[in-house]
C-alpha cells in the first residue's frame, strides 16, 4: 500500500468551517480506503479538537483566526498536527479527559466533558506545545496501518 | 436542523432529518427537540437512522433533550448508525438510554 503524500487543510475558525475541514481531510484520505470505523475515528477526533479550538482558543468570533491541520500517513498510522494562533490552553496543558461519571442523579447527567475523553481514548501520542503565539497539538491515530504493524 | 414528529400508539416519534448532529447545530437541535416534545406521550423515541455523525456537542444535546423531558418521561434511541453508536458506547452514554437498532424494533418493544 503506497503511503499517502502529506497534506495540509486550512480553515477560518468557525463551527461551519469545521464541517468543511472534516470533509476535506476525509476526501484527501480517500486513497487509504479507510473502513467505517477508522474513518469515524478520524472524523470524531478531529471534530473534537477543532471544536475545542473554535470554542476556547478563539472565544471571540470577531477576532478568530486560522486553524491548520497537517496530516501525514506513516507506517504507524496517521499523524496529525493542528495549529492555531488563539489563546493558550489553561495551565499550558491539555485537559486530562477523565470519563464522565454516570453514577449521578437524573438531573446531574453530564451534557459535556466528553470531548477530551474521546480524544484521549482514540488518539495516541497526544502532545501539546505553546510555541510563540501558536498552539500546536499533535497526535497519532492508529488507522491505515501498514502490514505488520499492530495497533498500540 | 429539521425534525419530523408524529404520535403513534402512545409514543412520540421524532426523526432527525439530517446527517449530522454536531457543534454547528447542537443548540438548534435542542430547541427543535423541546418544541417537538413539550407535550404529548411520556415516551419519546428519537429516530437517528439518517444521522451519520455526532460529536460530543451533539451527544450533549441529546442528553440535554432527555433531561428536558424530566425524570417521569422516557427517551429511547432508535436506528443508530455504526459511527453514532460508537460515540454512545465509548462514552458509556448507551447505558443511560434505551437503545434500539431499528425504529421498528423500538416501536415493537415500547408500544402497548
Amino acid at each position: 500500500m503506497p503511503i499517502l503524500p502529506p497534506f495540509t487543510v486550512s480553515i477560518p475558525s468557525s463551527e461551519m468551517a469545521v464541517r468543511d475541514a472534516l470533509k476535506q481531510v476525509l476526501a484527501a484520505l480517500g486513497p487509504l480506503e479507510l473502513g467505517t470505523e477508522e474513518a469515524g475515528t478520524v472524523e470524531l477526533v478531529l471534530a473534537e479538537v477543532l471544536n475545542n479550538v473554535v470554542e476556547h482558543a478563539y472565544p471571540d468570533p470577531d477576532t478568530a483566526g486560522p486553524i491548520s491541520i497537517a496530516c501525514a500517513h506513516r507506517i504507524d498510522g496517521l499523524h496529525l498536527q493542528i495549529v492555531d494562533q488563539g489563546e493558550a490552553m489553561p495551565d499550558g496543558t491539555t485537559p486530562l479527559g477523565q470519563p464522565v461519571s454516570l453514577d449521578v442523579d437524573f438531573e446531574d447527567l453530564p451534557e459535556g466533558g466528553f470531548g477530551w475523553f474521546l480524544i484521549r481514548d482514540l488518539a495516541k501520542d497526544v502532545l501539546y506545545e505553546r510555541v510563540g503565539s501558536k498552539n500546536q497539538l499533535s497526535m497519532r491515530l492508529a488507522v491505515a496501518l501498514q502490514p505488520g504493524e499492530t495497533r498500540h | 436542523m429539521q425534525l419530523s414528529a408524529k404520535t403513534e400508539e402512545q409514543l412520540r416519534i421524532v426523526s432527525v432529518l439530517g446527517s449530522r448532529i454536531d457543534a454547528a447545530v447542537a443548540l438548534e437541535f435542542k430547541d427543535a427537540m423541546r418544541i417537538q416534545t413539550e407535550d404529548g406521550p411520556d415516551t419519546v423515541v428519537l429516530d437517528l437512522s439518517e444521522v451519520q455523525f455526532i460529536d460530543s456537542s451533539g451527544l450533549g444535546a441529546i442528553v440535554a433533550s432527555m433531561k428536558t423531558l424530566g425524570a417521569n418521561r422516557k427517551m429511547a434511541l432508535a436506528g443508530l448508525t455504526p459511527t453514532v453508536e460508537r460515540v454512545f458506547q465509548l462514552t458509556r452514554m448507551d447505558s443511560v438510554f434505551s437503545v434500539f437498532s431499528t425504529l421498528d424494533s423500538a416501536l415493537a418493544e415500547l408500544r402497548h
Side-chain angles (χ1 to χ4, degrees):
Chain A
M1 185 165 58
I3 287 194
L4 194 78
F7 62 90
T8 301
V9 168
S10 296
I11 54 162
S13 172
S14 83
E15 285 166 351
M16 288 313 284
V18 168
R19 282 188 173 185
D20 186 43
L22 297 174
K23 213 173 180 178
Q24 285 188 54
V25 169
L26 287 169
L29 296 176
L32 297 179
E33 297 179 344
L34 299 176
T36 305
E37 181 165 335
E38 291 195 332
T41 298
V42 174
E43 185 162 18
L44 185 57
V45 171
L46 255 187
E48 297 305 334
V49 169
L50 296 175
N51 287 335
N52 280 334
V53 173
V54 172
E55 190 180 345
H56 301 295
Y58 295 121
D60 179 0
D62 292 334
T63 58
I67 309 171
S68 73
I69 305 119
C71 197
H73 180 220
R74 301 202 189 118
I75 194 163
D76 60 351
L78 208 56
H79 290 248
L80 299 172
Q81 188 178 51
I82 297 92
V83 179
D84 67 76
Q85 299 167 23
E87 294 179 15
M89 293 268 184
D91 307 323
T93 180
T94 54
L96 289 174
Q98 306 280 15
V100 295
S101 172
L102 299 181
D103 188 20
V104 295
D105 289 339
F106 174 81
E107 57 267 28
D108 295 326
L109 282 171
E111 296 173 35
F114 309 111
W116 268 98
F117 168 76
L118 289 168
I119 296 168
R120 293 266 179 218
D121 198 45
L122 295 172
K124 322 287 178 196
D125 308 336
V126 177
L127 176 69
Y128 167 74
E129 287 178 300
R130 179 75 177 177
V131 181
S133 59
K134 292 182 177 177
N135 296 309
Q136 294 186 353
L137 183 67
S138 58
M139 62 188 62
R140 174 172 66 88
L141 301 178
V143 301
L145 299 176
Q146 298 292 293
E149 278 292 309
T150 50
R151 286 158 191 262
H152 293 302
Chain B
M1 176 95 281
Q2 273 201 299
L3 304 177
S4 81
K6 59 183 177 182
T7 298
E8 234 179 58
E9 299 188 46
Q10 303 300 312
L11 298 173
R12 184 76 171 157
I13 304 160
V14 182
S15 300
V16 180
L17 307 178
S19 63
R20 306 176 73 85
I21 309 176
D22 59 11
V25 296
L27 283 178
E28 221 184 302
F29 171 83
K30 266 194 278 190
D31 287 343
M33 277 297 285
R34 197 185 55 243
I35 291 164
Q36 296 296 354
T37 61
E38 58 194 354
D39 47 26
D42 281 347
T43 302
V44 174
V45 181
L46 181 61
D47 170 18
L48 294 170
S49 53
E50 287 194 23
V51 179
Q52 302 298 322
F53 181 78
I54 65 167
D55 61 14
S56 62
S57 303
L59 176 65
I62 293 172
V63 176
S65 298
M66 179 187 69
K67 288 164 70 174
T68 302
L69 293 179
N72 297 324
R73 297 175 72 195
K74 182 175 161 187
M75 183 184 286
L77 308 178
L80 280 69
T81 58
T83 304
V84 172
E85 184 175 28
R86 191 148 161 256
V87 173
F88 277 90
Q89 285 170 348
L90 288 168
T91 56
R92 297 182 299 132
M93 294 307 283
D94 55 344
S95 65
V96 170
F97 297 88
S98 306
V99 180
F100 298 91
S101 55
T102 64
L103 181 57
D104 284 347
S105 60
L107 300 185
E109 173 75 23
L110 297 170
R111 68 164 50 120
H112 42 82

